[in-house]
Amino acid sequence: MKEYKYIINGTEYQVTIGDIVENIANVTVNGEDYKVEMEKEPEPEKKKVVVKTGGAAAQAAPAAAAAPAASGPVNTSNALKAPLPGVIIDVKVAVGDTVAAGDTVVVLEAMKMANNLDAEKGGKVTAVLVKVGDSVMEDTPLVVIE
């Protein structure tokens, strides 16, 4: 049992949280018992890693439809990382593309604003680790440029 003391708008509340079974908690507020239904935690999304093979068919695929691609383990030390949490709304490069420093490679929506994420250095895109619609946290690797 956990006990808390809250003051809301000048009124003091003594809150005790008892047993929690699945998503129902037994809560006592100032001596009155309540059953509180909590929001269920979403199940973690399982991400698939798709390995692209070389060839004309792989190069003809549009960047927007590209799934996370890599050939073997990905060295993320050279990856462009998300500067803040958000949602990927555009991926402007594909594996095999050559980019210059300052080229926009990913567009990240954060706090209702679209943020262009630019390549920090020039090189070849060796892995695209996100796709349109992915939610990312700060420091999540997005695109590897070597």
Side-chain angles (χ1 to χ4, degrees):
M1 261 198 228
K2 292 188 178 185
E3 295 185 13
Y4 301 94
K5 179 177 165 183
Y6 296 104
I7 298 176
I8 302 173
N9 293 333
T11 303
E12 185 176 302
Y13 296 92
Q14 297 289 333
V15 179
T16 304
I17 300 176
D19 296 329
I20 300 174
V21 179
E22 291 184 21
N23 66 326
I24 305 293
N26 293 314
V27 178
T28 303
V29 179
N30 291 347
E32 285 194 46
D33 292 328
Y34 297 93
K35 291 204 180 290
V36 178
E37 183 176 353
M38 300 180 295
E39 184 175 323
K40 290 184 180 180
E41 289 187 32
E43 292 187 24
E45 182 178 321
K46 294 180 182 177
K47 295 190 178 201
K48 282 187 179 178
V49 175
V50 177
V51 178
K52 283 190 176 181
T53 58
Q59 292 177 357
S71 56
V74 177
N75 178 3
T76 58
S77 63
N78 292 328
L80 171 68
K81 295 182 179 175
L84 66 167
V87 176
I88 303 299
I89 59 173
D90 196 7
V91 178
K92 297 194 174 275
V93 295
V95 174
D97 288 355
T98 301
V99 296
D103 286 354
T104 299
V105 293
V106 175
V107 180
L108 175 75
E109 182 182 289
M111 297 182 283
K112 306 273 186 203
M113 291 180 55
N115 299 280
N116 291 336
L117 303 183
D118 301 333
E120 297 168 351
K121 63 178 184 173
K124 185 176 181 180
V125 176
T126 58
V128 177
L129 306 170
V130 293
K131 64 183 182 306
V132 174
D134 283 353
S135 292
V136 296
M137 298 303 293
E138 184 175 355
D139 291 330
T140 300
L142 307 173
V143 176
V144 179
I145 302 170
E146 295 183 351

